[in-house]
Amino acid sequence: MGTQDPGNMGTGVPASEQISCAKEDPQVYCPEETVGTKDVQVTDCKSPEDNRPQKETGCCNPEDSGQLMASYEGKAMGYQVPPFGWRICLAHEFTEKRKPFQANNVSLRNMIKHIGMGLRYLQWWYRKTQVEKKTPFIDMINSVPLRQIYGCPLGGIGGGTITRGWRGQFCRWQLNPGMYQHRTVIADQFTVCLRREGQTVYQQVLSLERPSVLRSWNWGLCGYFAFYHALYPRAWTVYQLPGQNVTLTCRQITPILPHDYQDSSLPVGVFVWDVENEGDEALDVSIMFSMRNGLGGGDDAPGGLWNEPFCLEHGGETVQGLLLHHPTLPNPYTMAVAARVTADTTVTHITAFDPDSTGQQVWQDLLQDGQLDSPAGQSTPTQKGVGIAGAVCVSSKLRPRGQCRLEFSLAWDMPRILFGAKGQVHYRRYTRFFGQDGDAAPALSHYALCRYAEWEERISAWQSPVLDDRSLPAWYKSALFNELYFLADGGTVWLEVREDSLPEELGRNMCHLCPTLRDYGRFGYLEGQEYRMYNTYDVHFYASFALIMLWPKLELSLQYDMALATLREDLTRRRYLMSGVMAPVKRRNVIPHDIGDPDDEPWLRVNAYLIHDTADWKDLNLKFVLQVYRDYYLTGDQNFLKDMWPVCLAVMESEMKFDKDHDGLIENGGYADQTYDGWVTTGPSAYCGGLWLAAVAVMVQMAALCGAQDIQDKFSSILHRGQEAYERLLWNGRYYNYDSSSQPQSRSVMSDQCAGQWFLKACGLGEGETEVFPTPHVVRALQTIFELNVQAFAGGAMGAVNGMQPHGVPDKSSVQSDEVWVGVVYGLAATMIQEGLTWEGFQTAEGCYRTVWERLGLAFQTPEAYCQQRVFRSLAYMRPLSIWAMQLALQQQQHKKASRPKVEQGTGLRTGPMFGPKEAMANVSPE
């Protein structure tokens, strides 16, 4: 929009008559001084150190942002926007529109295999949705549709999240724990008002939307002059206002702070607006932040919603704003929209307006003088079915060629929560610091607005060693930090734990269980926003690297919870959907699949997953043992190791029964009995057999540390026999066979076949005296995977397909073997880096990042899987957090080089401080 006549600004011009910014529209207002094209370079030109200089992975490539920024016609680069991250023009349209995986995507052959499961699922789904009136933990009938709109979520860990899309819309909400609402709330907007010489010359909602409500507002921002830049936990949106000589930079900040267990839990976000006047005239600038009370859905329908202004002065700092009270049960909350008062700013508000009306009153109020009327007192509680919204406005004067800053916060206070079963009352972690009474929203707002500068300093100190490392490719810097969104936005809860709620009889052998849960709380995150199970353990195995490196105490807390659940049993019998067999919910001394469904009562009732009876899965127990040792190795916490040792013994004893021929190697059971729960495995297999040998190897190490010589000897003997059997039965000279069945797919090349070696190397084992898999075999297998699963699949541009036949055709024997699993690919890349195949590792992982973030438009909703064409599966999934295993591999590689007597200068991966657990590199061996 260009300069407008103030008299025509508030008349509710129909959308069809508003000025368009579509490129093909001759009416577009594009003054000469604002038109231009500028390629945004967000990359550097150094590749990871390797012996292949002819192909540098970090080279300046227009694909790094060029396709996403190709529509940008502005010249403004914004105020202090960093060079690295995910950058996209607001006018960008993704051309590829994929669909969620559905039953009609299953081949006839595979459909026949699963017809019994399908019928049982339909019967269960009908009972769950139509009789119990609940939402299924996995809804295969109503998958979340593709929306290529999401950006950085707001909110710390475990207090709920609100996602703001890259075009500025507030569009994904997780306030009730673990339960998502995908709804764009039209009233939730930022609006700019510019005034010169006492007249409003420009007033625009900073949104590309053209909605049917609030039609008196000036919608339809020209997206060709704005871009979004994400580097989680911060994001920047830059608006060059055509014809105004003004650039707005909105910086969004959330307190995601590694090794911080207080501020990282806060349900807050901050918006800092830096306004630059590039003209020679002074002007007044106002930013209005409007927000609906609730989302406009069923939770609002009962009525009783009300708003009130507040002002909080503390420590010489004043914050003003609105409280939006949403008392709907079972989880009432208060939202606070607030702004910081400074000597140069004026904060005003409108307490209530109807978000479903034309909005003319609030629009004219702002238009008149760039401020709002600021009525005193609270609003009247809403009637049933009536909506209510409010707005806060910050105004400041701007000198010619000057700059000003306007600061807003958004906070929400839902201290007391009930899960879907409405059984036990839980309190969120942040209540330890801000109280449990539900009146903390003003204090949260004040704290956020006064502390965000310190948060940013800490975020920069954490991220700078990676961002400043010229040996790392630009896409990796974006992926490493932006994939962390899921730690907060994975339906995450972080709860206080009362000591009297812990079972004394189970915990008495774990001396540090109570102190850990008491001091650091209880942590849960979903397998995926569509796969609604907390702490799904076979997947956490991959994702856990982010937690142990950045919030190690939360990883230990999760492990204690898993140990507790392992020692319990629930003999309630139920029918499992894949087999149709009746079996108990949970057997003692086996690791549960998950800790429960947020729509039920997690932690009390575990194993929400009922597709398979996971008591007979081959990977869960092994993954617990491997993670226990990895967590000990990276933290040096001997108390944790001592507490976990008896549990490791118990689960390994349970696992022994799967070695039916006593050759030291377990056998899979002829069904999909591991994390690939749609991919049948029979007999000794590369994946589970490798995990088994790795777990046996770390049992040998733990036995030595715990002074258990007889147990050490026992597992040493098993390891020796198992190694011989594994090599004899599975190694074929190029890679390890998928399994030992007589089926053709038994010779498939599995991308995840070296998972056991991956974890051993992460634990400082797997080479020299602790070698389990012959190093030449591991390297050869990884090279084969790179040749076939990566380079021979989709032109080498989409990561590694799960299964590839030896002659270079994807394995279509199951519904999962021809998928790409993003989290598995990042783990594979880490394994390649560990084994010196750094270039191959980065090439492999880059394919996934480019596909998800740049081609498919799945930013901040990285799926579990996608196929070469047409479909994706399970948006916003846990496993891709495994990219932090790549970072650990790089750190360990750097440490290994630094510990050599002579190190060549200029070739290391990074010389800055390590990040990850503080003790990680100080304890590179258990001793």
Side-chain angles (χ1 to χ4, degrees):
M1 293 293 295
T3 304
Q4 304 177 28
D5 178 355
N8 293 331
M9 277 190 166
T11 56
V13 180
S16 61
E17 297 174 25
Q18 292 178 358
I19 296 176
S20 168
C21 73
K23 282 189 171 182
E24 64 272 18
D25 192 326
Q27 295 183 355
V28 61
Y29 185 90
C30 295
E32 288 183 5
E33 67 268 24
T34 67
V35 175
T37 302
K38 182 170 182 179
D39 290 332
V40 182
Q41 299 297 328
V42 294
T43 67
D44 56 45
C45 294
K46 295 279 187 176
S47 69
E49 182 201 355
D50 66 68
N51 57 359
R52 304 192 184 197
Q54 72 273 18
K55 187 162 185 178
E56 298 183 325
T57 56
C59 190
C60 292
N61 183 341
E63 291 295 316
D64 279 324
S65 67
Q67 292 303 308
L68 302 184
M69 285 293 288
S71 301
Y72 186 60
E73 296 190 3
K75 294 182 178 179
M77 289 293 101
Y79 180 76
Q80 295 184 353
V81 180
F84 299 105
W86 182 72
R87 185 174 293 193
I88 185 168
C89 175
L90 267 59
H92 182 76
E93 293 287 345
F94 290 96
T95 55
E96 187 166 352
K97 309 287 185 184
R98 291 203 168 197
K99 294 189 179 298
F101 182 87
Q102 301 280 8
N104 60 353
N105 300 118
V106 180
S107 68
L108 179 61
R109 177 185 172 190
N110 284 319
M111 192 171 288
I112 292 170
K113 287 183 189 176
H114 297 298
I115 192 164
M117 186 268 185
L119 292 172
R120 283 184 288 272
Y121 177 84
L122 286 172
Q123 193 175 29
W124 171 84
W125 182 91
Y126 181 85
R127 185 173 67 250
K128 178 66 68 173
T129 59
Q130 304 304 309
V131 179
E132 299 177 21
K133 304 298 182 185
K134 290 278 192 176
T135 54
F137 75 96
I138 297 178
D139 194 337
M140 299 181 189
I141 310 298
N142 300 303
S143 298
V144 174
L146 174 67
R147 298 178 77 201
Q148 298 162 316
I149 64 174
Y150 297 115
C152 276
L154 292 154
I157 298 172
T161 44
I162 300 170
T163 297
R164 187 166 182 246
W166 51 269
R167 283 182 171 149
Q169 63 275 65
F170 290 81
C171 51
R172 187 171 64 194
W173 307 76
Q174 188 252 144
L175 299 178
N176 285 315
M179 308 300 289
Y180 276 85
Q181 292 180 276
H182 300 84
R183 179 191 293 266
T184 296
V185 182
I186 290 298
D188 298 356
Q189 300 291 346
F190 287 101
T191 298
V192 62
C193 174
L194 301 181
R195 292 170 59 80
R196 292 187 174 93
E197 298 178 354
Q199 293 289 318
T200 297
V201 295
Y202 183 89
Q203 188 161 299
Q204 173 73 52
V205 185
L206 296 171
S207 168
L208 277 64
E209 301 275 357
R210 294 181 180 274
S212 59
V213 296
L214 302 177
R215 289 177 61 87
S216 292
W217 296 17
N218 191 24
W219 298 90
L221 176 77
C222 185
Y224 294 101
F225 293 89
F227 69 87
Y228 178 85
H229 184 98
L231 188 66
Y232 187 75
R234 294 189 290 176
W236 294 255
T237 311
V238 176
Y239 305 88
Q240 180 176 322
L241 304 182
Q244 303 304 315
N245 289 322
V246 170
T247 298
L248 311 176
T249 303
C250 175
R251 188 166 80 256
Q252 174 184 314
I253 306 137
T254 289
I256 299 293
L257 308 166
H259 305 285
D260 177 287
Y261 299 90
Q262 176 174 324
D263 288 6
S264 291
S265 72
L266 302 183
V268 298
V270 175
F271 298 97
V272 179
W273 290 82
D274 287 297
V275 186
E276 298 171 279
N277 182 5
E278 290 134 13
D280 296 323
E281 296 179 79
L283 58 86
D284 297 333
V285 60
S286 301
I287 300 285
M288 179 179 75
F289 186 7
S290 55
M291 177 69 64
R292 183 176 189 131
N293 188 337
L295 311 187
D299 289 347
D300 302 357
L305 315 182
W306 55 285
N307 301 346
E308 64 173 331
F310 78 93
C311 179
L312 178 60
E313 191 280 327
H314 179 74
E317 294 282 357
T318 301
V319 167
Q320 288 179 225
L322 282 181
L323 300 178
L324 315 180
H325 299 287
H326 196 280
T328 307
L329 297 175
N331 296 320
Y333 64 92
T334 297
M335 191 85 71
V337 179
R340 188 179 191 174
V341 180
T342 69
D344 300 319
T345 60
T346 302
V347 178
T348 56
H349 70 269
I350 183 166
T351 309
F353 68 90
D354 183 354
D356 301 313
S357 69
T358 65
Q360 184 164 5
Q361 178 186 354
V362 64
W363 189 259
Q364 289 290 344
D365 188 359
L366 181 65
L367 190 70
Q368 185 176 0
D369 58 4
Q371 299 183 12
L372 299 174
D373 282 347
S374 299
Q378 65 189 48
S379 68
T380 304
T382 59
Q383 298 298 308
K384 186 175 181 179
V386 178
I388 182 175
V392 174
C393 178
V394 186
S395 308
S396 184
K397 294 188 178 298
L398 198 51
R399 299 188 308 275
R401 306 286 172 179
Q403 179 186 334
C404 69
R405 174 168 291 181
L406 313 175
E407 301 156 297
F408 293 89
S409 67
L410 182 64
W412 51 99
D413 184 23
M414 184 192 283
R416 172 186 181 276
I417 59 170
L418 290 168
F419 288 110
K422 301 178 183 175
Q424 300 180 356
V425 174
H426 303 272
Y427 289 94
R428 297 194 192 262
R429 168 74 174 182
Y430 76 88
T431 62
R432 173 177 291 221
F433 316 108
F434 284 86
Q436 301 178 347
D437 297 332
D439 58 0
L444 284 165
S445 305
H446 191 283
Y447 189 84
L449 285 166
C450 293
R451 290 295 183 98
Y452 80 82
E454 177 196 327
W455 294 341
E456 289 198 275
E457 288 176 6
R458 293 165 66 185
I459 291 167
S460 293
W462 159 44
Q463 294 183 338
S464 290
V466 170
L467 302 180
D468 294 344
D469 186 344
R470 293 182 59 80
S471 72
L472 296 174
W475 69 262
Y476 173 76
K477 298 172 184 182
S478 171
L480 184 69
F481 295 113
N482 283 326
E483 290 288 11
L484 270 179
Y485 83 95
F486 193 83
L487 270 185
D489 201 20
T492 311
V493 288
W494 188 357
L495 306 173
E496 291 288 271
V497 178
R498 302 190 323 271
E499 283 202 51
D500 60 8
S501 69
L502 297 172
E504 188 176 331
E505 74 282 0
L506 291 179
R508 62 175 174 264
N509 292 325
M510 291 184 273
C511 299
H512 293 83
L513 179 147
C514 287
T516 299
L517 291 177
R518 181 191 64 227
D519 293 345
Y520 296 101
R522 174 166 272 162
F523 174 84
Y525 63 153
L526 298 177
E527 179 178 335
Q529 291 180 9
E530 295 190 80
Y531 286 15
R532 211 182 54 239
M533 296 159 282
Y534 276 131
N535 298 349
T536 299
Y537 202 71
D538 57 300
V539 183
H540 176 70
F541 175 74
Y542 298 81
S544 60
F545 283 88
L547 212 54
I548 191 60
M549 293 176 72
L550 302 174
W551 289 272
K553 298 298 185 182
L554 291 184
E555 167 67 8
L556 300 189
S557 168
L558 185 154
Q559 292 282 62
Y560 274 111
D561 267 334
M562 200 56 64
L564 272 181
T566 298
L567 301 177
R568 292 176 173 147
E569 64 182 3
D570 179 353
L571 298 180
T572 306
R573 296 178 71 78
R574 63 181 178 180
R575 189 175 305 280
Y576 287 91
L577 300 179
M578 186 67 77
S579 65
V581 170
M582 297 289 290
V585 171
K586 169 69 175 67
R587 288 181 241 171
R588 197 186 309 276
N589 292 344
V590 294
I591 300 295
H593 173 273
D594 59 83
I595 221 73
D597 177 356
D599 203 29
D600 183 32
E601 193 61 65
W603 285 279
L604 180 64
R605 285 187 287 277
V606 303
N607 278 348
Y609 179 84
L610 47 67
I611 294 175
H612 291 281
D613 177 7
T614 59
D616 288 328
W617 272 19
K618 308 307 181 289
D619 59 342
L620 287 168
N621 297 328
L622 308 175
K623 288 173 173 176
F624 178 77
V625 172
L626 288 167
Q627 286 183 84
V628 163
Y629 188 77
R630 190 268 324 264
D631 296 346
Y632 159 70
Y633 173 74
L634 291 179
T635 63
D637 191 329
Q638 295 183 356
N639 293 320
F640 169 74
L641 182 66
K642 290 175 184 175
D643 282 351
M644 294 296 117
W645 174 238
V647 187
C648 290
L649 283 172
V651 300
M652 287 299 282
E653 190 61 37
S654 296
E655 192 79 9
M656 293 285 189
K657 66 178 179 289
F658 301 130
D659 180 10
K660 298 186 185 302
D661 57 5
H662 307 291
D663 65 349
L665 188 63
I666 62 169
E667 293 90 41
N668 288 87
Y671 69 101
D673 52 357
Q674 25 69 39
T675 193
Y676 297 88
D677 57 353
W679 195 357
V680 171
T681 318
T682 303
S685 68
Y687 183 69
C688 290
L691 292 174
W692 162 259
L693 292 180
V696 171
V698 302
M699 287 297 288
V700 172
Q701 298 294 319
M702 287 193 282
L705 290 164
C706 295
Q709 186 64 49
D710 54 339
I711 296 173
Q712 183 180 356
D713 293 343
K714 172 185 172 182
F715 281 103
S716 294
S717 173
I718 294 171
L719 180 60
H720 179 73
R721 289 183 286 117
Q723 285 174 286
E724 189 277 330
Y726 189 77
E727 296 295 323
R728 172 171 47 84
L729 295 170
L730 296 167
W731 179 250
N732 65 23
R734 295 177 62 207
Y735 59 92
Y736 292 99
N737 287 337
Y738 176 70
D739 67 8
S740 304
S741 74
S742 58
Q743 300 298 315
Q745 62 266 24
S746 70
R747 287 186 60 82
S748 282
V749 185
M750 187 189 198
S751 65
D752 212 2
Q753 63 185 270
C754 296
Q757 174 70 0
W758 168 37
F759 251 74
L760 287 176
K761 275 292 188 76
C763 297
L765 305 172
E767 59 185 340
E769 293 182 0
T770 60
E771 181 181 270
V772 174
F773 309 95
T775 298
H777 289 186
V778 172
V779 173
R780 185 70 185 97
L782 292 171
Q783 289 171 335
T784 301
I785 292 166
F786 185 70
E787 292 163 11
L788 291 176
N789 301 59
V790 180
Q791 290 187 311
F793 176 74
M798 292 183 73
V801 67
N802 282 341
M804 180 68 86
Q805 296 180 59
H807 55 282
V809 175
D811 178 354
K812 295 183 180 293
S813 63
S814 80
V815 294
Q816 294 174 337
S817 51
D818 67 339
E819 291 183 324
V820 175
W821 287 12
V822 180
V824 167
V825 173
Y826 288 150
L828 168 63
T831 315
M832 290 174 169
I833 292 168
Q834 290 169 342
E835 301 300 331
L837 302 175
T838 303
W839 179 81
E840 289 85 348
F842 276 99
Q843 285 288 109
T844 298
E846 181 178 0
C848 281
Y849 175 80
R850 301 280 189 207
T851 299
V852 170
W853 290 77
E854 296 181 356
R855 178 178 150 195
L856 302 185
L858 299 180
F860 298 99
Q861 51 180 332
T862 303
E864 158 72 317
Y866 55 80
C867 291
Q868 185 171 349
Q869 296 175 327
R870 294 191 300 277
V871 298
F872 58 83
R873 183 169 60 79
S874 187
L875 290 173
Y877 199 76
M878 176 199 291
R879 204 182 318 248
L881 286 168
S882 61
I883 193 170
W884 280 85
M886 292 180 66
Q887 186 60 25
L888 179 63
L890 292 169
Q891 290 179 190
Q892 290 176 327
Q893 187 184 76
Q894 180 197 13
H895 176 82
K896 192 178 291 186
K897 289 174 182 173
S899 63
R900 293 174 187 163
K902 288 183 73 174
V903 180
E904 290 186 27
Q905 295 300 310
T907 60
L909 276 159
R910 190 158 24 84
T911 56
M914 297 298 171
F915 68 136
K918 294 174 184 175
E919 307 88 353
M921 293 301 116
N923 293 282
V924 291
S925 66
E927 292 76 21

